[in-house]
Amino acid sequence: MRYTITVLVQNHYGVLSKVSGLIARRGFNIESLAVGVTENPDISRMTIVVDCDENGVEQVEKQLNKLIPTIKVRVLKEGAYIARELTMVKVSCNAKQRAEMMNLADIMHARIIDVTATSLTLELTDTTARTETFISLLRPFGIKELVRTGISAIELGVNTTKK
Amino acid sequence: MTGAQIVLECLKKEGVSVVFGYPGATIAPFYDALVCDGTIKHVLVRQEQNAGHAASGYSRASGEVGVCCTTSGPGATNLITALATAYMDSIPMVALTGQVRSDLLGRDVFQEADITGACEPFTKHSYLATDTQELPTIIKEAFHIAATGRPGPVLIDLPQDTLEREFKGEFVYPDSVDIIGYKPRTAGHSLQIKRAIEAISKAECPVICAGGGVVSAKSRRELLKFAEKLDIPVVSTLMGVGMMPTEHPLYMGMLGTHGIYSANYAIHHADLVILCGARVGDRAMSKPDQIAKKATIIHIDIDPAEIGKNMKADIPIVGDIRNVLKNLIEKTDELKHEAWVNDLRKRKADHTPVFTSIKGQVDPRNFMRTLSEIVSRHSKAILVADVGENQIWSANNFAFRGGRFLTSGGLGTMGYSLGAAMGAKIAKPARQVIAVCGDGSFQMMMCELATLKQHDVAVKVVIMENNRLGMVRELQDKLYGGRYSGVMLDGSPDFVKLVQAYGIPAEAVGDDDEVEGAIERMLKSSEPYVLVCKVAADIPSRQED
Ligand SMILES: Cc1ncc(C[n+]2csc(CCOP(=O)(O)OP(=O)(O)O)c2C)c(N)n1
Ligand SMILES: [Mg+2]
C-alpha cells in the first residue's frame, strides 16, 4: 500500500541524504520525495511516498523520528489530505494534431507552456491518479520527455503539521 | 583562542580526562592544543580502530562518554568498524576526526574522505564543523546526543581550518542544549504501565528478558529487585549477560542460538515475556513469532523504533528502563511463581554439563569457570570477551557476581577485546580487567600490546589458542560437510615469545591441572599479562546439541 508521509526537518546541510539514505537502508522503497522550504526558512518540509505494509510504515515513521534533524513526522490519513504533483510532458505534435491536443489539455485542465512546429509541452498539476490518466492519453501521440515532481501534500481543514 | 583550543576547553567542560587516538596532519592543531594544555591524557593506540574500541570500553566501564580522535582520510576510515560496533551496541561515544580544509572539501585532495557520509548508517548523529564559532554548541550537543535517549556514537568532523582559525569573542560553554526534534522520552506511559501490571498479575509463567538496555540504563539493581519482588525468572541476551548474578536462583542463563537450554526453554514456554532493553536480535530469538504466539509481550525500551520491529508487542512501554522498573516495583505487590521457577531451576541444574578434563589440554569452559571462581575472591572483575567460540565459552561459563561483561554483541567484531579492555582498565584502574580472545582475534589486534606497555595499562589477556578460526570451522562442520576452507591459523607465532618481545610477561598453560596456578599468577601481576591457553581442538561453542 502507498503511504504519504509528511516530514518537517531542520534545514541543515545533508539532511535530504540522511532521510533518503535512512529509508533506503531500512529496505523501504521511496516512490516519490518532494522537498522545499516552509514558512520558516530554518525548516524544510518533505513529502515522501512509500510503498509498504502497515508495519513497514510504522517503522519508517519511527526511524525517521530518530534522526536528530527531524522535527515532526506524520503519516497522513487517507482522505484527510490533499496531494498534488506537477508534471511537464513534451509530446510530438504537428500542426494537424494541435487542435486535438488543445482540446485534451482543456478537458484535463492542463496548460500548454511551449510549442514548436513538431512538439508541444504541457503542464499539469493534479493528483497522481489523474496525472496517470493524462499521461496515458498523451502516450499515443508519442511522449518525448516526461518530468514529474512527485507529490506534495497538505492536510484538509484547519489542522497543520507543525512542531 | 584557536578552534583547536576551543575543542579542548569544551572537552574539559564535559569532564573528559582521556582521549584515545592517533594523529596526522589535519588533526595536528588539536594534538598541539592537547600537549600545550596537558590536562587531558592522550593514549596513543597502534591502529585507529582500537582507539574507537578503547573509547567504547572506557564508556561502558565508566558510564561516561568515551572520546577518540583520528586524522582525516585513512585515519577516519580505520575508525569506521569501531563506530559501527559501538552503534550496534548503543555505546555513547564522541569521535573527533580531522578533515581537510573546508575550502578544499569535495575536491579529492590528499587524505580527504567523506567520513560523515560514510558513517551515516553507523552514527547516531554527525557534524561537519565548518564554522569555528559553532564548536561549543556542536560539542555540547554531541555529548548530549551520545549519552541520552538510546545512546550511541556521535562523530564530529573537524576541517583543519576550523581548528586553526581564531575564535571570535569570549568562550562560553553552553549549559544546555535545545534541539527541537530531539526530546527523548524517559517516563513510561502510565496507561501502558497499568496494563503491564495487570498482565503481570495474571501471568503464571512469566519471564524477564534482560538486554543491553538494562546496562545502558544503569538499572542492574532495579532489575534484581523487580525480579525478586515478583518472583519472575530472568534470562538474558548476550548484551545483558552479567546484569543478574549468574548463580541467582531466578537466573536461567543466556538465551539464543548459543545460549543454554534453560533460558531457551523459559522463553518458549512463558505466558508472559517482559523484554527489558532487548531488541529481539536474530541470535537471541530466531523465531520471535513462535514466542509471541504463546505469550503476552511487554516490551520496555527507550527507543520506540525497537518496539514492534522484530516482534509484535502487546504492551509497548517507551521509556528509560530504570525509571519504568522503579515504577513497576512501586506499584506491584509481591508475587510467587514457585512451580514455574522450580521447574526451570531443575531444568537448569539438569542441563549444566560437567566437562571432563583431558590430560595435556585445557578445556576452555572449565578454564572460564575456574577463572570466575578465583577472580570473584579478589574483586568484581570486568570481563571483555572477543568474538568466536571464546566469546560463547566466556558468556556461558563465567559466573558473574557483580562484575561486568563487555563484548561486541551486535556487530560481532573480532579484535574488539583488547582495545575495549584497555579503555575499561583506564576507566577503572582498581578493577581486574580481563580480555579473553581467540588466536584469530588476537592477531587482529596484537599491535595494541605496545599501547598497554607504553601507558602501563595492566590488562590481563587470555588467548584461547586452538590454531583455528574455531567458530567458522564449526559452521563448516555443520553446514559444509566438514570442508575446512580458510580457517586454519598455521603460521601463527609463538605467542609467549611474541608477548615477551614487548617486555610483557606471558606464560602458556596446556593442562587443566595447571590452570589454577597460572590464573593466580596472572591476577597477581601489576603489569599487563598474557596467558596462552592451549585449548583442546574442536570444543564446541554450543552447550546444547
Ligand atoms: C572482523 C571480523 N571478521 C570475521 C568475522 C567472522 N568470524 C566470526 S568468529 C570467527 C573466528 C574467530 O576465531 P578466533 O578468534 O580464533 O576465535 P575462536 O572461534 O577460535 O575461539 C570469524 C572469522 C568476524 N566476526 N569479525
Ligand atoms: Mg581460534
Side-chain angles (χ1 to χ4, degrees):
Chain A
M1 171 145 173
R2 270 191 189 155
Y3 291 93
T4 303
I5 307 171
T6 180
V7 190
L8 289 176
V9 293
Q10 282 180 295
N11 196 358
H12 279 174
Y13 154 93
V15 174
L16 177 61
S17 85
K18 278 187 207 272
V19 168
S20 57
L22 173 83
I23 298 176
R25 194 156 71 232
R26 294 277 170 188
F28 299 103
N29 196 20
I30 300 178
E31 297 240 318
S32 82
L33 191 161
V35 54
V37 75
T38 62
E39 67 281 4
N40 178 346
D42 296 331
I43 296 175
S44 293
R45 180 187 299 273
M46 297 184 186
T47 306
I48 305 170
V49 178
V50 289
D51 186 10
C52 59
D53 60 17
E54 207 183 322
N55 283 342
V57 76
E58 186 185 322
Q59 259 301 302
V60 173
E61 182 184 358
K62 286 174 165 178
Q63 293 293 345
L64 284 175
N65 258 320
K66 279 175 71 170
L67 287 178
I68 309 294
T70 301
I71 299 164
K72 181 101 196 172
V73 184
R74 187 107 151 227
V75 181
L76 297 175
K77 279 207 186 67
E78 201 56 47
Y81 65 96
I82 297 176
R84 293 288 183 270
E85 63 177 308
L86 172 71
T87 305
M88 292 184 281
V89 207
K90 196 174 284 180
V91 284
S92 305
C93 179
N94 57 34
K96 268 190 280 170
Q97 292 169 303
R98 215 169 275 150
E100 187 186 350
M101 193 67 89
M102 284 169 71
N103 189 15
L104 199 106
D106 199 33
I107 297 170
M108 294 301 292
H109 302 291
R111 289 203 310 148
I112 294 165
I113 52 174
D114 191 26
V115 60
T116 72
T118 57
S119 76
L120 204 80
T121 306
L122 299 120
E123 172 199 320
L124 177 80
T125 303
D126 216 323
T127 62
T128 299
R130 281 181 56 88
T131 300
E132 261 143 34
T133 310
F134 180 59
I135 293 166
S136 66
L137 289 169
L138 293 179
R139 199 155 269 137
F141 293 90
I143 294 178
K144 287 169 168 298
E145 198 170 17
L146 175 67
V147 181
R148 294 171 72 165
T149 58
I151 72 157
S152 290
I154 196 161
E155 282 175 85
L156 280 168
V158 292
N159 284 350
T160 57
T161 302
K162 275 250 166 78
K163 54 177 176 167
Chain B
M1 279 201 288
T2 63
Q5 288 169 316
I6 293 289
V7 172
L8 197 82
E9 289 308 315
C10 294
L11 295 184
K12 279 158 58 180
K13 292 277 186 197
E14 287 294 338
V16 175
S17 59
V18 59
V19 169
F20 303 90
Y22 211 100
T26 56
I27 196 77
F30 173 67
Y31 270 80
D32 191 49
L34 261 179
V35 76
C36 289
D37 181 84
T39 31
I40 296 183
K41 176 184 164 116
H42 176 264
V43 175
L44 176 70
V45 294
R46 295 304 191 263
Q47 209 266 22
E48 289 87 349
Q49 182 185 150
N50 301 315
H53 293 326
S56 161
Y58 182 89
S59 164
R60 294 171 81 164
S62 67
E64 293 157 25
V65 177
V67 181
C68 57
C69 64
T70 75
T71 195
S72 63
T77 53
N78 267 352
L79 188 63
I80 294 180
T81 300
L83 290 177
T85 304
Y87 183 73
M88 285 291 263
D89 291 341
S90 309
I91 309 301
M93 254 168 73
V94 168
L96 308 170
T97 50
Q99 181 55 282
V100 302
R101 297 165 47 100
S102 51
D103 57 326
L104 298 176
L105 278 170
R107 298 204 210 164
D108 297 325
V109 297
F110 182 64
Q111 295 196 329
E112 176 179 2
D114 172 12
I115 197 65
T116 51
C119 290
E120 187 53 49
F122 314 122
T123 45
K124 185 170 170 188
H125 193 48
S126 61
Y127 296 89
L128 174 56
T130 50
D131 184 354
T132 304
Q133 296 306 117
E134 283 184 3
L135 285 171
T137 312
I138 287 178
I139 295 171
K140 180 79 193 177
E141 283 186 8
F143 277 83
H144 176 72
I145 290 169
T148 53
R150 178 178 184 170
V154 177
L155 171 68
I156 308 176
D157 202 19
L158 297 161
Q160 198 177 338
D161 54 323
T162 300
L163 294 174
E164 284 167 350
R165 209 175 293 126
E166 277 296 315
F167 183 82
K168 292 192 208 77
E170 198 194 333
F171 165 68
V172 187
Y173 196 58
D175 44 31
S176 63
V177 296
D178 182 27
I179 311 166
I180 37 177
Y182 182 71
K183 306 269 186 304
R185 153 175 210 129
T186 53
H189 195 285
S190 55
L191 177 77
Q192 299 297 359
I193 294 200
K194 217 184 236 162
R195 291 183 60 211
I197 292 168
E198 205 180 302
I200 293 167
S201 69
K202 280 191 199 137
E204 278 167 24
C205 309
V207 63
I208 297 165
C209 173
V214 173
V215 187
S216 309
K218 305 183 174 91
S219 51
R220 180 205 289 250
R221 225 176 285 143
E222 288 73 16
L223 173 73
L224 186 64
K225 223 170 157 187
F226 178 61
E228 284 178 346
K229 181 169 182 188
L230 303 180
D231 195 32
I232 304 179
V234 180
V235 300
S236 78
T237 68
L238 183 61
M239 291 300 292
V241 166
M243 284 296 99
M244 276 293 277
T246 308
E247 293 134 322
H248 193 283
L250 285 171
Y251 185 61
M252 300 305 154
M254 177 174 86
L255 83 176
T257 47
H258 291 86
I260 64 172
Y261 167 80
S262 48
N264 285 321
Y265 181 91
I267 198 111
H268 284 279
H269 291 79
D271 62 0
L272 176 74
V273 174
I274 308 168
L275 297 167
C276 286
R279 61 187 176 85
V280 195
D282 55 326
R283 288 285 168 113
M285 285 167 248
S286 54
K287 295 186 182 103
D289 296 348
Q290 269 185 18
I291 298 169
K293 230 192 299 175
K294 277 215 180 82
T296 303
I297 310 291
I298 301 175
H299 197 162
I300 312 169
D301 207 294
I302 188 87
D303 180 0
E306 283 310 333
I307 299 177
K309 186 174 86 180
N310 294 335
M311 186 194 255
K312 76 154 190 49
D314 302 290
I315 304 172
I317 304 179
V318 178
D320 175 71
I321 292 176
R322 190 159 164 205
N323 230 314
V324 174
L325 288 182
K326 270 189 180 162
N327 208 329
L328 287 172
I329 294 165
E330 263 170 40
K331 293 190 176 139
T332 43
D333 299 320
E334 278 183 35
L335 294 173
K336 275 274 162 231
H337 301 102
E338 231 173 313
W340 167 236
V341 173
N342 286 343
D343 176 38
L344 292 179
R345 289 190 59 182
K346 184 165 183 323
R347 286 175 194 276
K348 187 182 178 191
D350 289 350
H351 285 81
T352 300
V354 175
F355 306 114
T356 36
S357 295
I358 300 170
K359 199 83 204 121
Q361 290 177 329
V362 172
D363 187 306
R365 300 161 299 188
N366 285 336
F367 179 93
M368 292 313 299
R369 290 176 181 185
T370 311
L371 179 65
S372 67
E373 270 320 304
I374 299 174
V375 158
S376 61
R377 280 182 225 146
H378 296 263
S379 78
K380 290 176 180 172
I382 298 174
L383 181 71
V384 189
D386 215 281
V387 170
E389 291 175 320
N390 60 84
Q391 181 183 35
I392 307 305
W393 296 327
S394 301
N396 284 334
N397 294 290
F398 191 94
F400 290 88
R401 295 168 187 158
R404 288 282 306 275
F405 182 60
L406 314 183
T407 196
S408 162
L411 202 64
T413 306
M414 278 174 72
Y416 176 74
S417 59
L418 202 45
M422 186 200 308
K425 183 70 185 175
I426 289 172
K428 296 277 176 210
R431 295 257 201 123
Q432 283 285 359
V433 178
I434 305 158
V436 176
C437 61
D439 39 4
S441 34
F442 180 71
Q443 289 180 77
M444 279 196 179
M445 61 193 177
M446 60 193 190
C447 56
E448 296 306 327
L449 289 172
T451 315
L452 298 183
K453 183 74 189 171
Q454 180 178 7
H455 299 278
D456 230 344
V457 190
V459 164
K460 311 296 162 65
V461 184
V462 175
I463 306 174
M464 297 293 186
E465 184 181 12
N466 54 8
N467 198 40
R468 61 202 62 195
L469 300 173
M471 190 66 123
V472 182
R473 196 175 122 138
E474 255 186 68
L475 182 92
Q476 292 177 350
D477 264 326
K478 234 188 174 144
L479 299 177
Y480 300 95
R483 291 182 299 281
Y484 300 134
S485 180
V487 291
M488 295 312 294
L489 289 171
D490 299 329
S492 300
D494 176 330
F495 291 116
V496 172
K497 274 193 191 152
L498 177 100
V499 173
Q500 285 169 344
Y502 284 89
I504 294 175
E507 72 170 297
V509 272
D511 195 292
D512 277 358
D513 292 340
E514 300 165 11
V515 159
E516 218 174 302
I519 291 174
E520 293 280 11
R521 282 188 292 281
M522 172 177 82
L523 295 179
K524 229 173 258 154
S525 170
S526 55
E527 294 175 85
Y529 194 99
V530 178
L531 181 56
V532 182
C533 288
K534 306 276 186 189
V535 161
D538 301 319
I539 302 264
S541 57
R542 282 166 218 242
Q543 217 122 307
E544 290 182 49
D545 67 37

